[in-house]
Amino acid sequence: MKRRHWSHPSCGLLLLVAVFCLLLVFRCSQLRHSGDGGRGAAAAAPDGGAGRNDGDDVDERLVELAAVDPAASAVLQAAKKLLEGNLARAPERHRDIALRGLREWVGKQERFDPGVMSELVELIKRPIDRYNGEGGGGEGEGRRYTSCAVVGNSGILLAAEHGELIDGHELVVRLNNAPAGNGRYARHVGARTGLAFLNSNVLSQCSVPRRGACFCRAYGEGVPILTYMCNAAHFVEHAVCNNASSFSSSTSVAAAAADAPAAAPVIVTDPRLDALCARIVKYYSLRRFARETGRPAEEWAQRHEEGMFHYSSGMQAVVAAAGVCDRVSVFGFGKDASARHHYHTLQRRELDLHDYEAEYEFYRDLESRPEAIPFLRERDSGFRLPPVAFYR
């Protein structure tokens, strides 16, 4: 039987068909992996990010734009004016302490240093250890917490019962005095609190400098407070709360101060940490704007009120925890159409000065590919991030 020979045109046609099929299979595979609903590393990067090396997808132009922070500049200028005026708004008995804190804070504003991550144990944990009587050079001195739970305030917390899991961490961090520990919320948010993270606006609302009274210790006198300064004038409230116990309206301030044990410290975040958080969030917001609008990132300020734009308290609490903990678990960060903005209030609307979607992209990278986060990469900060897990 004579063997059939294919003509050259037939061979070429078959080869083209084969190549087309291979390309189709490859394209379908790409689409399948990129359609994970934003949960994987590919969804977090502007162009998928798959297969890239350490930091290859970091846009250096966005890094430059993220370094511009009009809000921080305005706060610093206001702080310098307060110093020039000798912090006149402060009551006399608190002025020296407030001025000392303000001067130290202003003095640290001049340089950007991601290496502050390596100093957070000294800056945050060491004062807490000393208050707890653990600062005498013993075994635990200088060590990080073995595990930390950062509990956000999102209404999604009420859809799960993570309370026992939260309380099982060595340190539990809560935000802006959200309630915990009572029968209504304990099974969802836990009962223990080891550190309260407050922005200074909250601190200013729960203290009365003229009376020397602080009502900010929602979790008890023995729970330390970590606060970042939204307004330099709030060093007055910091001085009050760092040197006074909580007083009821019917209690004599002098009598209460004489009888009460020393309250836990109120620690101000290092300005270098503030600047680091600001740059990270602005980078992710710039990147999201450019990707979703197709417009140059330089036009980002037209969408956001640049002088008011700021990271959320929760975001900074997570970054701070990453600096002092060997393992970080995060609860109550995120949103759902059926959930309130806060689990303990009726608020549903988000604040315009935050870009929560950009922060969620940061969290996805923090969990699954920390090497892609500008400023926090080990080669940028000299610091290796611990494992971070987000629970819904």
Side-chain angles (χ1 to χ4, degrees), residues 318 362-370 373 376 385 388 390:
V318 170
F362 162 64
Y363 299 145
R364 286 195 289 269
D365 280 354
L366 188 61
E367 185 173 36
S368 62
R369 51 182 212 133
I373 301 173
L376 271 185
L385 288 164
V388 181
F390 286 77

Side-chain angles (χ1 to χ4, degrees), residues 42-54:
D47 57 356
R52 288 179 175 269
N53 295 321
D54 180 3

Side-chain angles (χ1 to χ4, degrees), residues 170-242:
E170 182 180 3
L171 180 73
V172 178
V173 184
R174 299 192 188 276
L175 306 176
N176 291 329
N177 283 344
N182 60 35
R184 183 179 182 187
Y185 297 120
R187 63 194 175 100
H188 301 292
V189 305
R192 293 179 54 243
T193 305
L195 179 65
F197 189 98
L198 311 182
N199 69 59
S200 69
N201 286 325
V202 174
L203 199 70
S204 71
Q205 293 165 11
C206 57
S207 60
V208 187
R210 294 292 171 189
R211 292 180 51 213
C214 177
F215 304 94
C216 301
R217 298 185 182 275
Y219 311 110
E221 296 292 317
V223 176
I225 294 172
L226 180 64
T227 183
Y228 73 83
M229 286 293 160
C230 313
N231 184 328
H234 294 160
F235 270 97
V236 177
E237 285 78 12
H238 171 259
V240 172
C241 286
N242 211 22

